[in-house]
Amino acid sequence: MSDRRYTDLQIERHLCSDFSPEEQSDFEQSATEADRAQLETLRRQSEAFLEAASAHKQAVAISQRLTPKRMGLRFLAPLALVASVAAGLFLFLDSPAKLAEPDVATKGGELRLKVYVATDSGSRMLMNGDTLPAFSRVRFELLHDQPGFAAIVGIDSEQVVSVYYSSGDRAVPYEPAVSELPVAIELDETLGSETFYGLFSAIPFDAKRVGAELLAKRPLGPNIQQAELTVGKTR
Amino acid sequence: MSKELEAIEALYRQHAPTLFRRSLSLLGSVDEAHDVVQESFVRFMNAGYTKGSAFALLYRIAVNLSIDQLRGRVRHKHESCDEHDLPSDLHTGSRVESAMDLALLTRGLKDKHLEVSVLYHVDGYSQDEVAASLGLSRRSVGKTLQRVAAHIHQRAARLGYDSNKLAAGAHRE
């Protein structure tokens, strides 16, 4: 970065209109050619990202996950500020040049597991390492682009394997269009970490047996894909 | 489209690309980075912040969520191998792996300290660059890194990890 005066993070702030008027003025006067080139690179990446990500769909998804008390005028006040700044950014971003598609598409055949916990106002998506109280109600979303067979297995801190989603112990047919699995479970009182495994295969499989393989940390074989998420259970 | 939705979309357009780049650089996974971006907006909005820079708050949330994701990966790796195999297994030189090392060694640190640590140890910023990027004084960054170093040394000793590799800043440019 010898010919750069600004770090990437500073240039990101500039791109997001987070600079104060003084910082903005300083940038205009003292940014090097390398700084400006990096700004242009990031700007193009941003344009390509927004084309691929569908900002409207993302906004809908975010709004559906907000607690109701935040959806109203109180919530609009801070957003109006950033939105007004953003208006300037859109003009700035509106380059006539079409850009190549970014490499953000999900690879074919990839499996993803999302776990949601019920809250007073709806639900919240869990991230790896989140904690939640015992007896919380959770539901699962399993995403794959192929039809096949799916199951959800959990292993808790006492190394107990539970098959949360299946028909008996067998994996059940899976359709990509129905990624939200028709099951909601209430966690038990066992405290500590619990790992949920989403399992998928193009052919039927025994979920209980696969759970035992996971517990023993043995490889599952090439036919079965897994995605996992670990949460902590507290009182 | 409702005004609320318009505002959310504007906020998303303004900040999501940056949050995505940041998360992707730490996680190395497009899907996980998209999840972190969406979750960052939800947490930011549900918290109802009315003060401070939206950029700074969103950026910090995204960094913390990314590091949390990495801790989940580290924990899984940790459980599936002998603890003494962990250091050499984890540190192979890539940015993501440096971030995983940092995630392992900084558990329990404050959010602000974590943000400084990521820029210094993972992105390879100098202390001056960290200070300029976060609007902090050089002295404040130095003090924070001293606290972080003490924390890292304690955890590294417990895990049998050579923290000097991380302290050197694996990606200093």
Side-chain angles (χ1 to χ4, degrees):
Chain A
M1 270 201 292
S2 56
D3 50 352
R4 291 264 302 275
R5 186 171 182 271
Y6 287 85
T7 65
D8 276 356
L9 179 51
Q10 287 173 300
I11 293 176
E12 294 279 16
R13 285 186 54 217
H14 179 287
L15 196 56
C16 291
S17 306
D18 189 57
F19 269 1
S20 66
E22 294 76 24
E23 288 173 310
Q24 180 72 32
S25 168
D26 184 52
F27 184 88
E28 297 307 332
Q29 289 173 14
S30 60
T32 64
E33 283 301 309
D35 290 326
R36 293 177 199 281
Q38 179 64 359
L39 174 63
E40 190 56 31
T41 299
L42 295 180
R43 181 177 291 139
R44 288 186 182 197
Q45 284 180 3
S46 295
E47 283 183 318
F49 171 87
L50 289 171
E51 277 188 30
S54 175
H56 179 68
K57 276 187 186 171
Q58 290 296 326
V60 170
I62 290 164
S63 71
Q64 287 172 344
R65 295 184 51 215
L66 298 181
T67 54
K69 65 180 178 181
R70 297 294 171 207
M71 293 296 291
L73 290 175
R74 183 162 57 138
F75 169 63
L76 265 179
L79 274 183
L81 280 174
V82 292
S84 62
V85 178
L89 183 70
F90 297 154
L91 292 174
F92 203 37
L93 284 174
D94 191 18
S95 158
K98 281 287 171 196
L99 298 157
E101 285 293 314
D103 181 21
V104 294
T106 303
K107 284 182 221 165
E110 195 167 293
L111 179 69
R112 298 173 64 198
L113 171 67
K114 293 185 178 182
V115 184
Y116 301 87
V117 61
T119 63
D120 291 342
S121 52
S123 67
R124 174 171 71 92
M125 185 170 75
L126 295 171
M127 305 293 285
N128 245 326
D130 277 354
T131 57
L132 65 170
F135 305 113
S136 293
R137 284 183 68 78
V138 299
R139 60 186 176 81
F140 304 96
E141 186 175 11
L142 204 54
L143 298 110
H144 198 284
D145 62 1
Q146 300 292 320
F149 294 84
I152 301 288
V153 168
I155 299 180
D156 68 18
S157 59
E158 294 181 357
Q159 304 296 288
V160 173
V161 178
S162 305
V163 178
Y164 290 130
Y165 176 65
S166 76
S167 173
D169 291 333
R170 303 287 297 170
V172 295
Y174 171 88
E175 285 295 332
V178 191
S179 60
E180 287 195 24
L181 305 182
V183 62
I185 61 159
E186 185 177 283
L187 299 177
D188 65 15
E189 72 281 10
T190 309
L191 303 183
S193 69
E194 173 148 9
T195 301
F196 300 110
Y197 295 90
L199 303 167
F200 175 88
S201 175
I203 56 177
F205 63 93
D206 184 328
K208 193 172 183 183
R209 184 189 60 75
V210 172
E213 299 289 317
L214 286 167
L215 181 62
K217 297 182 166 52
R218 285 195 289 266
L220 300 183
N223 291 326
I224 296 180
Q225 289 176 264
Q226 70 177 78
E228 64 190 73
L229 185 137
T230 300
V231 299
K233 272 189 286 179
T234 57
R235 287 189 196 284
Chain B
M1 188 162 60
S2 71
K3 283 186 178 175
E4 287 90 348
L5 201 52
E6 279 179 23
I8 294 169
E9 186 173 334
L11 188 69
Y12 184 89
R13 284 183 173 279
Q14 186 175 4
H15 296 287
T18 293
L19 302 185
F20 179 77
R21 274 192 289 274
R22 172 75 287 190
S23 303
L24 183 62
S25 74
L26 294 174
L27 293 165
S29 159
V30 168
D31 289 334
E32 283 183 308
H34 276 297
D35 287 347
V36 164
V37 170
Q38 188 182 108
E39 187 63 19
S40 299
F41 282 103
V42 171
R43 292 192 185 194
F44 170 77
M45 292 176 188
N46 278 339
Y49 293 113
T50 54
K51 288 182 182 173
S53 148
F55 174 90
L57 293 164
L58 281 163
Y59 189 87
R60 185 174 296 160
I61 292 169
V63 167
N64 287 335
L65 286 172
S66 299
I67 294 294
D68 280 348
Q69 284 286 94
L70 290 171
R71 286 187 182 132
R73 283 193 214 164
V74 172
R75 182 169 45 242
H76 181 65
K77 216 166 182 175
H78 196 158
E79 286 167 355
S80 63
C81 67
D82 183 86
E83 198 163 90
H84 295 292
D85 291 340
L86 200 58
S88 57
D89 187 24
L90 280 176
H91 194 98
T92 60
S94 78
R95 183 188 294 265
V96 172
E97 281 159 352
S98 285
M100 284 183 73
D101 287 355
L102 191 74
L104 175 74
L105 295 172
T106 56
R107 185 186 296 277
L109 272 183
K110 287 180 180 174
D111 292 355
K112 272 189 175 178
H113 295 178
L114 187 61
E115 198 173 18
V116 170
S117 306
V118 169
L119 290 176
Y120 183 76
H121 289 295
V122 179
D123 296 310
Y125 282 19
S126 67
Q127 292 192 26
D128 285 331
E129 288 171 333
V130 174
S133 298
L134 297 178
L136 302 171
S137 70
R138 169 74 162 68
R139 191 174 170 202
S140 167
V141 170
K143 276 189 172 178
T144 298
L145 287 171
Q146 276 180 0
R147 283 196 200 104
V148 170
H151 185 94
I152 283 176
H153 282 303
Q154 273 187 350
R155 277 194 62 82
R158 199 152 67 81
L159 297 171
Y161 177 86
D162 179 7
S163 62
N164 289 327
K165 285 188 284 187
L166 185 61
H171 295 278
R172 208 163 300 289
E173 291 167 15

